[in-house]
Amino acid sequence: MADKMKINDQVTVGPQPSEEEINQLSQQGFKSVVNFRTEGEDDQPLSPTAEREKVKSAEMEYLHIPVSMKAMGPELVDEFREKYPQLPKPVFAHCKSGKRAGAMVMMHVAVEEGMGGEETLRKAEEMGFECEQEELRQFVRNYVDQHAQ
């Protein structure tokens, strides 16, 4: 899985893993998998239910928070931020390509570190996240600005 991006020592983001890659994640020391894909998305090698079973059989924790661009709201980010601290680390978080997962993780990290929205977008771009969707950029900026301490 070449497109993985390590955010920090606790979380890495990437595209959806195959069954074989789930086992590799466990062998690489990951303790939890977070799936941000919705049920029935295109090009989904494993349904969220099948993925849960594979992750559990690989002895990792599993969290599914379905996020779509049409239904990405602050309550989903809040749900992730509420559940994330309880997950065993390190965590592998994914969606189809890694962009939604990257946005969700970056919003969490930014709020925890007291960053502003523009700073969050700059840091994400420096790390290699290209956010070409203006609505996602605005959502990230607004969420971080509204939740920063």
Side-chain angles (χ1 to χ4, degrees):
M1 191 182 314
D3 297 335
K4 288 194 298 190
M5 188 171 303
K6 186 173 180 175
I7 305 297
N8 57 37
D9 288 341
Q10 295 192 357
V11 62
T12 297
V13 172
Q16 180 167 4
S18 66
E19 289 185 42
E20 184 181 313
E21 289 167 335
I22 288 172
N23 291 327
Q24 290 171 2
L25 290 172
S26 178
Q27 293 163 5
Q28 292 166 2
F30 287 95
K31 305 285 186 223
S32 302
V33 174
V34 180
N35 179 2
F36 290 109
R37 296 195 77 181
T38 59
E39 185 77 46
E41 280 186 33
D42 291 342
D43 301 323
Q44 200 166 33
L46 293 168
S47 71
T49 304
E51 183 174 326
R52 174 185 307 277
E53 291 171 16
K54 287 290 172 198
V55 168
K56 292 286 189 185
S57 72
E59 300 181 357
M60 293 180 289
E61 293 293 314
Y62 181 78
L63 175 62
H64 181 223
I65 299 180
V67 174
S68 72
M69 286 310 299
K70 295 180 192 87
M72 183 183 265
E75 64 285 344
L76 290 171
V77 185
D78 293 343
E79 180 183 353
F80 170 64
R81 292 189 60 233
E82 184 180 303
K83 293 178 178 176
Y84 176 79
Q86 282 81 49
L87 292 172
K89 310 298 185 291
V91 172
F92 179 75
H94 77 84
C95 55
K96 180 179 179 181
S97 67
K99 287 182 181 171
R100 281 172 286 173
M104 295 290 279
V105 169
M106 285 302 295
M107 284 185 279
H108 170 71
V109 169
V111 172
E112 292 298 307
E113 293 181 2
M115 294 164 56
E118 275 304 317
E119 182 184 359
T120 303
L121 291 170
R122 268 196 315 278
K123 184 171 181 174
E125 286 172 10
E126 286 168 13
M127 295 175 80
F129 286 111
E130 288 126 31
C131 187
E132 60 277 339
Q133 292 179 294
E134 186 54 35
E135 64 183 320
L136 181 58
R137 291 179 66 82
Q138 285 182 325
F139 178 78
V140 169
R141 184 183 304 114
N142 292 341
Y143 183 90
V144 172
D145 285 342
Q146 290 169 8
H147 291 81
Q149 310 311 355

